[in-house]
Amino acid sequence: MWSSAECHPSEEELHPQTLYPWRNQGKGVVRVKRDWIIPPIRVLENSKQVPEDLVQIKSDKIFTSKVIYKLEGPGVDQEPKNLFEIDDQTGVIRCKRPLDREKYNSFTLKAFALSPSGERLENPTTIEIVVLDQNDNRPAFTQSQFVGAVAEFSVPGTSVMSVSAMDADDPMTDNAILSYSIIGQESFPANAITKTMFGINNETGAIYTRDVGLDREVVKGFRLKLQVADMGGMGLTSEGVAIIHVSDINNHPPQFSPVSYSMTAVENRRDYEIGRINVTDRDDRGTGNWEAKYFISNDPNGNFAITTHPATNQGILTVVKPLDYEAQSQYVLTVTVKNLNPLSNKARNLPVSTATVWITVVNENEAPHFREDPIQIVVPESVVPGTLLKSNIAFDPDHSDLRYEISRDPERWLDINRDTGDITAKRTFNMRSSYVKNNIYNAVVKVTDAGGVSTTATVVITLKETNDFPPQLFPLSGYVCRDAARMSSGLVVTAVDEDLPPHAAPFIFAILDDLSTNWTVTQVNDTHGVIQPLVELEAGEYAVTVLVSDSGSPPLSAYAQVNVTVCLCDTYSNCKSEMGAVLGSSVGISFIALIIIMVSIALLLLLLLVAVAVTACGRRHHIKKGTGLLVGESEDDIRDNVLNYDEQGGGEEDENAFNIDLLWNPLDAPSTPGSYYPGYGVPRGKQPLRKDAPHNLPSPIYPRKPPTDPSDIQDYINDGLEAADNDPNVPPYDTALIYDYEGEGSLAGSLSSIATSSSDGDQDYDYLNDWGPRFQKLANMYGGR
């Protein structure tokens, strides 16, 4: 058995040892269950003698045929490939290329014994190849530059920082055991300190202080040159750099420079800078050890404030409350300063630095001041004009003379003394003014000093309601039922008061005995009362005097005369006439219906009598002429003209439209061509000419003189009707006809909408075609279409 740890053989063994992994017993072979485990084969990395035989495997069984050996696994047919191979005839395993432990530290392979036909002659055996480490890697620092800090005045042994390095070699060997050291030191600024100030732990890389004297005002930092070596400091080496800053501690308190300052401040101004004070501090600029914090120790009223400028560290002194020259013209402030960070215990024991600031106040003309703004005044609305409302309302800090005026007073209710500023009432106030909102009236006063500087203030006047108006009773008239005393009803009255609560309702109603007897008034609620008679009175008009009072302080009252009508009432308490009351209360609906029926019968009888009388008069034919109804003293027709009552019907389809209640009605005659229709009043000679009949024929003579005998009126009408029927020049029966002779020289014009003052030839009746079917016949007779 060969178990060499290296690829090449020793001087005692020139050939690789032969292993029998399938033998039952053998040196160096361990049986586990049914398989045999071969010890690992150790191969040194980076071998230069390649290819190199590592080991030979053989089967100790006797086979009749030839044995072929095969090898599988990483480094053979798996990645990384082609590192190992086996001679299939002899079973020698070779290393084909140099190995790198840092990439692959071991390989596990499978060996097979096969027949020429590929049949397995033995079970596969495992071969473990372990790569042995060489010190072929230098250690390397984990950072190109390490940075740390140490506080100034640190004692020796103070830990500063740690450095670290890595080695790729096997950590289980000396090849990876590292050792740290400092091989150089530089200070900033250069040569500020030459002695060795730092040490390093060679195993852990921890850097620490070795000596005293780290003062940041002297040295700002150090640059250390480091070295790390493997093999415990005897092997390969590498170098690195460590930068160490000396950090500041607050070992220098701030100091004022100078310690006394003079400044000026203008009175009545605020939030403005009046000056700056300076300090020096040797600590690191821009840190809390350098930044100053200022304090004012003697400013009880808090008129001043001091803040720190972030860039210059100066103290900025400002006025935060207005100064008053008249009250104090000069201030002396004591200012102290400290650092933002507490002072280190390594600092020198020095007193706190202080500075004195002298501040002179500059006088200026100040505006007058109102003692209150707004100026509050509470006054009753009925204040007497001239009443003093407010005095001593303003003052001037400069003690100059003041002039007062009212700059806004929309109702002109106020007056002000120009010299003293006393505000008085100019007129009585009115709560109902549109400028009074929620009982408040606003005005503005202005005050000006001798230098022309002025200021204004609002005057807020709260008006208190007073009882200015007595209540007014209403309604002042009404009715009550005659039996109101028995039925406990009456006239409901109320009152109106222009005042506001509490000077209005509740109202008190009363009737004085000596003013209105037999009457009383009953209080219903806070706002209403009922006037009632005490006894049953006769129907008629009564004047009742009522006294109404409000609830003001003091209360106001007013008398009112109420005209009450006492009347009979129906069951619904509605005032009626005596007959209506009787009907509504006792007789009822049946009696009313009976009265209506009786009146209707009487009217019918009266109409019947009138009709009989008219008929009898029309049939009287033998009354003596000259004593008729139309008798007149002159020869002209003295009858009143028959009036047209705007009845404009007629025609074939509207024969019933002329039922006019006149003395006589010609419509009783048959509706034949030439019938005589009343109500149109068209004068003779103004009728339109018919185009379907001859014209200009001689007309019969119409009767012009009325009969002298009233009994001949029917004959007179019949004669006129007969003449009209035989007249060839009259219009047809369905057109406007002559009503009657209206006298010669009448001032009345034609009432016809068809006839004009022009001749027939000048008339154009074509528009009748546009008047619809009822005028179509006239259009055909007179029109041109």
Side-chain angles (χ1 to χ4, degrees):
M1 299 287 293
W2 178 63
S3 58
S4 174
E6 299 189 10
C7 282
H8 17 168
S10 62
E11 296 180 356
E12 294 83 4
E13 300 178 356
L14 299 177
H15 301 284
Q17 197 172 23
T18 301
L19 298 180
Y20 295 91
W22 296 283
R23 181 178 292 180
N24 294 336
Q25 294 181 356
K27 182 181 179 181
V29 178
V30 180
R31 183 173 181 83
V32 178
K33 293 184 179 181
R34 299 182 60 185
D35 293 328
W36 296 94
I37 299 177
I38 302 175
I41 301 172
R42 301 179 184 277
V43 181
L44 188 66
E45 69 171 336
N46 302 320
S47 174
K48 304 299 182 182
Q49 299 177 2
V50 290
E52 180 181 9
D53 295 340
L54 301 180
V55 70
Q56 183 182 19
I57 61 174
K58 276 187 175 296
S59 176
D60 58 350
K61 292 184 179 182
I62 299 175
F63 298 100
T64 58
S65 62
K66 184 179 179 181
V67 178
I68 300 174
Y69 299 96
K70 294 293 183 182
L71 192 64
E72 295 180 355
V76 181
D77 57 351
Q78 299 177 18
E79 293 293 337
K81 296 180 180 180
N82 299 323
L83 293 180
F84 305 100
E85 66 179 359
I86 187 171
D87 190 321
D88 58 355
Q89 302 295 327
T90 62
V92 176
I93 299 176
R94 298 184 181 89
C95 179
K96 298 172 63 176
R97 290 187 296 173
L99 303 180
D100 187 356
R101 193 206 68 85
E102 284 70 40
K103 293 183 178 181
Y104 304 98
N105 58 5
S106 66
F107 299 90
T108 301
L109 307 177
K110 292 285 187 180
F112 300 87
L114 306 175
S115 67
S117 62
E119 181 183 359
R120 288 186 179 182
L121 301 179
E122 299 281 357
N123 289 332
T125 185
T126 301
I127 298 176
E128 186 77 19
I129 299 176
V130 178
V131 182
L132 301 178
D133 182 51
Q134 280 188 335
N135 191 16
D136 58 346
N137 292 285
R138 292 180 178 275
F141 284 101
T142 57
Q143 299 180 24
S144 60
Q145 179 175 283
F146 296 90
V147 179
V150 61
E152 62 177 338
F153 299 107
S154 295
V155 298
T158 302
S159 178
V160 179
M161 59 187 298
S162 293
V163 298
S164 60
M166 299 290 293
D167 196 315
D169 290 326
D170 189 356
M172 304 303 296
T173 65
D174 292 344
N175 298 335
I177 297 177
L178 305 180
S179 177
Y180 299 92
S181 61
I182 298 175
I183 61 176
Q185 171 185 296
E186 297 179 15
S187 63
F188 306 109
N191 300 320
I193 294 180
T194 58
K195 60 183 178 179
T196 302
M197 297 298 299
F198 300 97
I200 190 170
N201 187 311
N202 61 343
E203 294 181 358
T204 63
I207 300 176
Y208 56 90
T209 59
R210 292 183 56 181
D211 206 342
V212 297
L214 290 176
D215 187 354
R216 193 185 180 284
E217 283 72 37
V218 177
V219 61
K220 306 298 182 184
F222 295 87
R223 183 180 186 274
L224 303 182
K225 188 176 182 182
L226 308 176
Q227 179 180 279
V228 60
D230 58 15
M231 300 295 289
M234 304 302 293
L236 303 177
T237 63
S238 294
E239 294 182 355
V241 175
I243 303 298
I244 300 176
H245 298 286
V246 179
S247 60
D248 181 54
I249 64 173
N250 192 13
N251 61 325
H252 297 288
Q255 300 293 320
F256 283 107
S257 177
V259 296
S260 181
Y261 299 86
S262 296
M263 302 178 186
T264 58
V266 181
E267 67 170 338
N268 302 320
R269 298 184 186 179
R270 56 181 298 177
D271 297 329
Y272 70 99
E273 178 184 339
I274 60 174
R276 298 188 180 190
I277 55 180
N278 301 317
V279 295
T280 58
D281 196 318
R282 296 173 57 191
D283 289 318
D284 192 9
R285 188 181 185 90
T287 65
N289 298 331
W290 171 83
E291 186 175 350
K293 188 176 181 180
Y294 299 89
F295 303 91
I296 301 175
S297 60
N298 57 340
D299 182 22
N301 297 325
N303 295 321
F304 304 93
I306 188 168
T307 57
T308 302
H309 192 282
T312 64
N313 214 24
Q314 291 176 314
I316 304 174
L317 191 61
T318 58
V319 177
V320 294
K321 290 184 178 180
L323 305 178
D324 188 357
Y325 173 83
E326 287 72 23
Q328 186 173 350
S329 61
Q330 190 176 56
Y331 294 83
V332 180
L333 303 181
T334 300
V335 182
T336 58
V337 63
K338 294 181 180 179
N339 286 126
L340 192 62
N341 293 339
L343 196 64
S344 173
N345 55 4
K346 297 179 182 180
R348 291 181 301 170
N349 189 11
L350 298 175
V352 177
S353 181
T354 61
T356 303
V357 181
W358 299 80
I359 301 175
T360 301
V361 181
V362 178
N363 187 27
E364 68 173 5
N365 187 15
E366 304 176 53
H369 292 192
F370 283 96
R371 301 188 184 278
E372 60 174 334
D373 188 7
I375 301 172
Q376 299 287 345
I377 299 176
V378 179
V379 63
E381 63 169 332
S382 59
V383 62
V384 178
T387 302
L388 178 64
L389 304 180
K390 200 76 172 181
S391 62
N392 194 21
I393 62 175
F395 66 94
D396 185 28
D398 298 323
H399 308 290
S400 64
D401 295 333
L402 300 179
R403 290 292 180 268
Y404 298 88
E405 62 179 302
I406 296 178
S407 59
R408 182 180 181 274
D409 181 16
E411 289 287 1
R412 301 183 181 276
W413 287 343
L414 303 177
D415 198 0
I416 191 169
N417 189 298
R418 291 182 54 86
D419 298 326
T420 64
D422 293 342
I423 300 175
T424 57
K426 188 176 181 179
R427 294 190 299 169
T428 301
F429 299 155
N430 183 8
M431 291 281 288
R432 264 71 42 195
S433 171
S434 60
Y435 295 98
V436 177
K437 307 295 183 183
N438 299 323
N439 295 358
I440 294 178
Y441 176 74
N442 291 320
V444 178
V445 297
K446 179 181 179 181
V447 58
T448 306
D449 63 11
V453 180
S454 63
T455 185
T456 60
T458 302
V459 179
V460 178
I461 302 177
T462 302
L463 299 179
K464 297 172 61 178
E465 178 75 18
T466 58
N467 197 10
D468 301 322
F469 301 95
Q472 300 298 320
L473 190 74
F474 82 95
L476 297 179
S477 63
Y479 71 90
V480 296
C481 296
R482 184 175 180 180
D483 55 352
R486 177 173 54 84
M487 299 178 61
S488 299
S489 63
L491 176 62
V492 178
V493 293
T494 185
V496 175
D497 198 323
E498 295 186 30
D499 293 313
L500 299 177
H503 301 289
F507 301 112
I508 299 176
F509 303 92
I511 294 179
L512 301 182
D513 295 337
D514 56 346
L515 294 181
S516 298
T517 59
N518 300 328
W519 292 89
T520 186
V521 61
T522 303
Q523 194 84 23
V524 177
N525 52 33
D526 291 344
T527 57
H528 291 77
V530 176
I531 299 176
Q532 296 173 310
L534 294 174
V535 296
E536 185 171 341
L537 302 175
E538 296 294 330
E541 298 287 338
Y542 294 86
V544 181
T545 302
V546 180
L547 176 67
V548 57
S549 304
D550 59 21
S551 299
S553 179
L556 295 181
S557 303
Y559 287 96
Q561 180 173 302
V562 182
N563 297 320
V564 182
T565 301
V566 177
C567 60
L568 298 177
C569 296
D570 56 15
T571 56
Y572 301 101
S573 298
N574 294 325
C575 188
K576 301 290 185 179
S577 63
E578 293 190 8
M579 180 59 68
V582 172
L583 296 179
S585 59
S586 60
V587 178
I589 298 177
S590 299
F591 185 80
I592 295 175
L594 180 62
I595 294 299
I596 293 175
I597 293 173
M598 294 177 62
V599 172
S600 300
I601 293 174
L603 290 175
L604 290 175
L605 292 176
L606 180 61
L607 291 176
L608 181 60
L609 293 175
V610 172
V612 171
V614 171
T615 303
C617 292
R619 293 181 179 179
R620 296 175 61 184
H621 300 283
H622 302 289
I623 299 177
K624 183 179 180 179
K625 294 184 179 181
T627 62
L629 296 176
L630 301 179
V631 176
E633 294 182 359
S634 66
E635 294 182 356
D636 295 332
D637 189 358
I638 61 174
R639 294 172 297 167
D640 292 336
N641 293 336
V642 180
L643 302 178
N644 181 1
Y645 287 88
D646 290 336
E647 188 69 24
Q648 298 181 7
E652 296 175 346
E653 298 178 3
D654 196 9
E655 295 179 357
N656 295 327
F658 296 89
N659 188 14
I660 303 174
D661 189 11
L662 297 176
L663 179 62
W664 47 267
N665 189 356
L667 292 181
D668 294 337
S671 297
T672 57
S675 298
Y676 194 54
Y677 277 66
Y680 288 89
V682 180
R684 292 287 297 175
K686 299 300 181 182
Q687 301 293 342
L689 298 179
R690 294 179 56 169
K691 298 183 181 297
D692 58 345
H695 52 85
N696 294 329
L697 295 177
S699 298
I701 299 174
Y702 286 85
R704 294 300 182 182
K705 296 293 183 177
T708 58
D709 189 352
S711 62
D712 296 336
I713 184 67
Q714 185 176 4
D715 296 336
Y716 174 79
I717 295 175
N718 290 332
D719 294 340
L721 180 61
E722 182 179 359
D725 291 338
N726 297 322
D727 192 348
N729 297 319
V730 299
Y733 73 96
D734 54 356
T735 59
L737 301 180
I738 298 174
Y739 181 82
D740 195 6
Y741 174 69
E742 297 178 355
E744 295 179 355
S746 175
L747 297 176
S750 172
L751 300 178
S752 173
S753 62
I754 300 176
T756 65
S757 60
S758 61
S759 64
D760 284 344
D762 297 333
Q763 298 297 319
D764 182 7
Y765 299 102
D766 290 341
Y767 59 85
L768 295 176
N769 294 285
D770 300 330
W771 286 14
R774 294 195 177 189
F775 295 89
Q776 190 60 45
K777 188 171 185 64
L778 288 176
N780 294 335
M781 291 187 299
Y782 296 101
R785 303 179 193 178

